[in-house]
Amino acid sequence: MTQSSLFVIGKHRNACERNCCFALPFLRLLLHRSRFGIRGSIFQSPGSILGPILFASALLFQPAFLASAQTEPVSPLRVLPGGQVPNDSRLGPLKDLNGYFPFTPCDTADEWAVRAERVRRNLAVATGLWPMPPRTPLEAVIHGRIEQPDYTVEKVYFQSLPGFFVTGNLYRPKGRAGPFPAVLSPHGHWRNGRFLDSRPEDIRRELDSGAERFEAAARSPLQARCVQLARMGCVVFHYDMLGYADSVQIPESLAHGFARQRPEMNSPTNWGLFSPQAEARLQSVLGLQTWNAIRALDFLVGLPDVDSTRLGVTGASGGGTQTFLVCALDPRPAVAFPAVMVSTAMQGGCTCENACLLRVDTGNVEIAALFAPKPLGMTAANDWTKEMPSKGFPQLEQHFALLGAPRNVMLEPLLQFGHNYNAPSRAAMYRWFNLHLRLGADEPIEERDFSFLAPVQLTVWDEQHPKPEGGPEFERKLLRAIHDRDQRLLAQAQNSLSEFRQVYGGAFDIILGRDLARAGAVTRGAYRRADRGYYLEHLAVLRNSAHGEELPFVILEPKQSRPQAVIWLDGQGKSALFAGPENPSRPAPAIEQLLHAGVTVLGADLLYQGEFLTNTLSLVQTRRVANPREAAAYTFGYNHALFAQRVHDILSLIQFTRQHLPQLERLDLVGLNGAGPWAAAARAQSGRAIARLALDTGAFRFANITHLHDPDFLPGAVKYGDLPALLALGAPGRLWVAGEPEGMPALVSKTYRLAGASKNLTLSRTKHGEIPAAAAAWLLKP
């Protein structure tokens, strides 16, 4: 799918970004087997001959390029021929909600347990529920009972957060003794939601096609399922999605129809949903609805006539999304039935079904698999779920069998119908709930006609129960209150080093998407070398085959070297290691300082630096998917942010250095000229691999980013402590920090004290132009 980008001529604030949207003449790279005969060289281990690498079936490959020990380089600092970019999968099309999301079952239950923990933590972080917030009093109000012959309907509202209301109807069996099983029933994207009253022509079509038997059910299949479940002996809570029916505080036009950014709702102190500030705090409509669903379960289990061990959840379409999300995050449901939603194809088109980070490296089938081995039933229709019988469901069958519950997964394909939760689909759900909630109903279960209730009969608001406040100001106050609540909760984790690493580190592990253990196998590809007198210059391609990534890099290796190496990162890429255009082959003074001391220095062009670029335009915005709606989740719910991808590159460099420099005893990291935050994040994800980190922060904070496609935008970074938290996660490793005019951030100092390593902190007041030399001098200290 086509992506759009915005570029302007000129310099980026760090002079490090370039055009990321251009024609990509991808060439096949034939890796040449070669070996340097230099004792202790980083290239002493042999390479391997690899065949052409298939990047994408739609790309046309050009003639092969042999890059073996060239004596006449194309240009002093280039690894690849002029105009050629690395053969990196990240330069290809972005993934979006219409992609392909297969589920590959694990080989063992233990392997799945590890995978399931990560996917579930990913969901918790993406929905803004890591760690799980405290439950505030619901202050539930139940009123306006409507008596029917064999069930009752009541009006309900409660506060999922102080001042934030969940609204719905409560259906109860009549003439039976409890306690009863309970069913949570999210409605999905039917017109007017809980107040659905279908048009006459739609009613006639449903009746004529056999989708419905009764006019009342054709008017509202939503009411039909609630009535039938109540008749089968269940308490049913049918509640509103944001903006539907009685949920009036955040309008439907915003929650489900958002299309354009609102400048008036985007400031570091006063923000609204979908803004960069909200996304940096992982505040989303999907997160609010997921929290409402969890609190709705709290409401149900708090009812005296409910058996809390027999809880079910079912919804279709967007209600299906809510079903598998709440069932993945909340352990209380005993049976789930997401209808016409679980699929390897389209993952959910509404803004309420998407959130940053949510489906990066996962998808709806795997999310649904988190419910195993508990009973999971589904339907498929002639929509995006139509291939589930052959793509998705067989893997779920294999997965449930692995966990010892092969009979606990079911798919009812009803491909003769379009997108629906009609009578045949509901019949499959009734059978499933009858079995697994132990309802004891005689089968076959057939719906009976019922009295349709109009919106005026169902609404929870009246003169005695007035509508609460809503609108933009309420939205701002709600998000600020959630932020303040989250910061109070997170502050508790700052008092213990282990808890800080678990909570903050666990969140950033998801946000960044990779740590050193998952960096993958890294090898050297095309290269050349030059003898520069007292050191050797190696220009090469670093290839991460596990992730389909490449980056050009340089190693400057003193002939008289000591077992110490420094990865030197800069906003300008690997060219910053050298003096400049007037003498491009001579190392910059700080680099010379390290080389003369015998320290090996590595630099690289990270993604969209240096050789990734083919012109002189400056990147001011990262790519976005073709979806015209300006919601970050459509891009960053399926793709890593550029910031995270650059951290991945740094991890590859660290992995390569550790694997291919056998005599290495110490590896340090430097981040300057805009690269400081990337270096801090990479150190946080590297365990103890980095002995010392020297960086210039430039007073950078994620909270100051005001555009979703800023190259340094990172979802969730503000919520989890911003840059100071990344620095603190490196404790107790030695740290040298420049660019902080207010002094060492308090969180960094506190965490290092907890680690008993305050002596490992150095705050530099060095002037900007002298920072490289000062950093190099610190690295050379004992």
Side-chain angles (χ1 to χ4, degrees):
M1 190 165 284
T2 306
Q3 281 80 40
S4 62
S5 300
L6 176 64
F7 302 95
V8 296
I9 298 176
K11 292 187 177 181
H12 184 261
R13 66 179 186 276
N14 292 324
C16 65
E17 308 299 339
R18 298 291 187 269
N19 188 358
C20 72
C21 186
F22 41 76
L24 301 176
F26 290 101
L27 291 89
R28 288 182 294 186
L29 298 178
L30 183 63
L31 307 183
H32 184 263
R33 188 183 188 88
S34 183
R35 183 172 183 164
F36 284 88
I38 306 165
R39 182 173 180 82
S41 169
I42 197 168
F43 283 122
Q44 197 164 10
S45 58
S48 60
I49 299 177
L50 300 178
I53 299 174
L54 180 61
F55 177 63
S57 59
L59 298 179
L60 178 65
F61 289 112
Q62 303 295 324
F65 164 61
L66 186 65
S68 172
Q70 299 181 43
T71 56
E72 295 295 329
V74 175
S75 69
L77 300 180
R78 285 195 65 89
V79 176
L80 303 172
Q84 180 177 331
V85 296
N87 188 9
D88 192 301
S89 63
R90 297 170 298 179
L91 298 178
L94 295 173
K95 197 165 190 175
D96 68 4
L97 60 89
N98 291 309
Y100 179 49
F101 299 82
F103 169 52
T104 303
C106 293
D107 293 328
T108 68
D110 289 342
E111 182 184 342
W112 171 246
V114 174
R115 175 63 181 167
E117 185 281 327
R118 182 170 185 84
V119 177
R120 189 170 280 111
R121 176 158 45 97
N122 188 99
L123 297 182
V125 172
T127 55
L129 302 177
W130 176 270
M132 190 62 71
R135 264 79 155 178
T136 51
L138 293 173
E139 299 184 6
V141 174
I142 303 174
H143 70 99
R145 175 179 293 190
I146 301 171
E147 297 283 350
Q148 301 289 5
D150 47 2
Y151 63 94
T152 63
V153 182
E154 295 168 290
K155 307 170 184 184
V156 174
Y157 60 89
F158 58 80
Q159 300 180 52
S160 64
L161 295 163
F164 186 51
F165 289 87
V166 176
T167 49
N169 293 120
L170 188 67
Y171 293 73
R172 283 174 154 145
K174 192 173 179 181
R176 297 185 182 216
F180 304 107
V183 176
L184 185 64
S185 183
H187 58 70
H189 292 96
W190 273 262
R191 188 178 63 256
N192 298 324
R194 185 169 52 90
F195 290 169
L196 172 66
D197 188 358
S198 299
R199 296 168 296 194
E201 61 270 28
D202 295 332
I203 295 171
R204 177 49 49 195
R205 184 182 64 249
E206 293 295 285
L207 293 171
D208 290 346
S209 69
E212 298 293 352
R213 295 175 57 209
F214 305 105
E215 182 175 325
R219 289 183 73 176
S220 178
L222 306 178
Q223 289 186 42
R225 76 172 184 250
C226 297
V227 169
Q228 181 60 33
L229 286 168
R231 286 171 167 169
M232 292 169 65
C234 297
V235 173
V236 183
F237 183 49
H238 189 206
Y239 68 103
D240 296 324
M241 295 199 301
L242 296 190
Y244 278 84
D246 286 320
S247 179
V248 296
Q249 294 177 288
I250 294 175
E252 181 183 359
S253 60
L254 174 64
H256 309 278
F258 172 82
R260 295 286 179 267
Q261 285 294 318
R262 301 170 292 167
E264 73 278 9
M265 303 293 275
N266 180 23
S267 80
T269 58
N270 201 10
W271 66 90
L273 289 162
F274 302 106
S275 69
Q277 295 299 327
E279 303 297 349
R281 293 165 172 84
L282 296 173
Q283 297 174 335
S284 66
V285 170
L286 179 139
L288 290 173
Q289 290 192 160
T290 303
W291 180 244
N292 283 355
I294 291 172
R295 299 312 317 270
L297 287 174
D298 292 342
F299 166 71
L300 279 174
V301 301
L303 295 174
D305 56 345
V306 164
D307 178 356
S308 63
T309 67
R310 292 189 291 163
L311 299 179
V313 186
T314 184
S317 190
T321 300
Q322 293 174 74
T323 296
F324 61 68
L325 284 177
V326 71
C327 287
L329 288 169
D330 195 305
R332 293 172 294 181
V335 57
F337 201 100
V340 290
M341 194 62 234
V342 178
S343 164
T344 60
M346 199 277 292
Q347 299 290 284
C350 184
T351 45
C352 82
E353 297 175 275
N354 289 276
C356 287
L357 309 175
L358 186 69
R359 297 182 181 92
V360 178
D361 299 328
T362 189
N364 288 351
V365 178
E366 185 173 45
I367 295 170
L370 291 170
F371 197 62
K374 293 186 288 185
L376 173 68
M378 299 161 289
T379 58
N382 187 20
D383 55 17
W384 56 86
T385 63
K386 64 185 178 181
E387 292 187 321
M388 267 296 283
S390 60
K391 296 179 180 179
F393 184 63
Q395 289 73 33
L396 284 173
E397 289 184 301
Q398 181 183 340
H399 174 67
F400 274 75
L402 173 71
L403 300 181
R407 294 172 180 255
N408 276 7
V409 64
M410 181 272 286
L411 175 71
E412 184 84 3
L414 297 166
L415 307 188
Q416 69 271 34
F417 297 110
H419 196 58
N420 75 89
Y421 207 170
N422 60 24
S425 297
R426 297 194 300 273
M429 179 267 289
Y430 299 146
R431 293 193 300 271
W432 196 246
F433 278 16
N434 190 39
L435 173 64
H436 294 289
L437 290 179
R438 306 185 303 280
L439 302 179
D442 294 333
E443 296 192 13
I445 300 169
E446 294 187 356
E447 287 184 344
R448 289 181 283 124
D449 204 357
F450 65 95
S451 297
F452 173 84
L453 296 178
V456 68
Q457 297 170 282
L458 296 173
T459 182
V460 307
W461 307 124
D462 56 29
E463 289 184 3
Q464 290 73 41
H465 309 89
K467 292 180 181 181
E469 66 168 325
E473 188 55 35
F474 169 80
E475 179 190 351
R476 293 186 186 99
K477 290 194 299 183
L478 176 65
L479 297 196
R480 167 55 72 176
I482 292 172
H483 170 75
D484 292 343
R485 176 206 65 186
D486 289 344
Q487 293 311 301
R488 289 192 299 270
L489 181 61
L490 288 165
Q492 299 173 21
Q494 298 175 13
N495 297 320
S496 161
L497 187 59
S498 61
E499 189 174 357
F500 176 74
R501 289 170 174 163
Q502 178 187 358
V503 175
Y504 284 77
F508 271 114
D509 184 45
I510 296 299
I511 291 167
L512 296 169
R514 195 180 300 174
D515 62 10
L516 193 59
R518 292 188 294 273
V522 182
T523 59
R524 166 188 45 79
Y527 70 89
R528 67 174 181 268
R529 68 166 179 172
D531 190 324
R532 301 298 186 189
Y534 70 96
Y535 70 95
L536 298 170
E537 177 187 279
H538 308 290
L539 290 169
V541 169
L542 185 148
R543 177 170 293 114
N544 188 320
S545 56
H547 300 287
E549 298 164 359
E550 285 189 355
L551 58 152
F553 74 117
V554 60
I555 298 116
L556 306 180
E557 185 179 21
K559 293 180 179 178
Q560 299 297 321
S561 62
R562 62 189 193 184
Q564 178 185 355
V566 173
I567 296 174
W568 192 283
L569 305 171
D570 190 279
Q572 297 182 19
K574 67 181 187 301
S575 65
L577 272 63
F578 298 89
E582 66 282 355
N583 196 349
S585 297
R586 180 178 177 178
I591 306 302
E592 280 190 325
Q593 189 177 352
L594 293 171
L595 294 174
H596 283 301
V599 177
T600 299
V601 181
L602 298 86
D605 289 333
L606 309 181
L607 184 61
Y608 294 124
Q609 289 186 314
E611 295 188 50
F612 279 96
L613 311 170
T614 58
N615 55 48
T616 58
L617 296 179
S618 293
L619 169 68
V620 294
Q621 295 185 24
T622 58
R623 296 191 298 167
R624 52 178 288 191
V625 298
N627 195 314
R629 300 171 70 183
E630 296 176 356
Y634 288 132
T635 297
F636 301 114
Y638 301 89
N639 305 275
H640 292 293
L642 176 58
F643 185 102
Q645 291 174 319
R646 286 172 168 171
V647 173
H648 300 170
D649 287 341
I650 301 168
L651 294 173
S652 292
L653 280 167
I654 295 170
Q655 187 85 308
F656 177 84
T657 307
R658 284 158 50 89
Q659 291 176 353
H660 295 272
L661 194 58
Q663 297 181 359
L664 183 69
E665 295 178 3
R666 186 179 126 194
L667 178 60
D668 301 328
L669 187 61
V670 175
L672 305 179
N673 191 26
W678 316 334
R683 207 262 186 97
Q685 290 295 94
S686 298
R688 295 182 179 271
I690 300 299
R692 299 188 187 188
L693 169 63
L695 79 164
D696 175 13
T697 69
F700 171 85
R701 293 296 185 269
F702 293 103
N704 294 327
I705 290 176
T706 58
H707 198 287
L708 292 171
H709 293 280
D710 186 294
D712 283 328
F713 170 72
L714 188 64
V718 174
K719 175 177 180 176
Y720 295 104
D722 214 295
L723 181 60
L726 288 171
L727 294 171
L729 285 168
R734 297 185 66 175
L735 176 64
W736 184 92
V737 178
E740 287 292 316
E742 303 299 321
M744 189 67 73
L747 180 58
V748 180
S749 298
K750 180 177 182 177
T751 307
Y752 270 75
R753 283 197 305 272
L754 289 172
S758 295
K759 65 181 184 303
N760 287 350
L761 286 178
T762 300
L763 178 67
S764 174
R765 301 290 189 182
T766 306
K767 295 180 181 178
H768 180 72
E770 300 171 358
I771 286 176
W778 178 76
L779 293 174
L780 293 175
K781 290 182 178 179

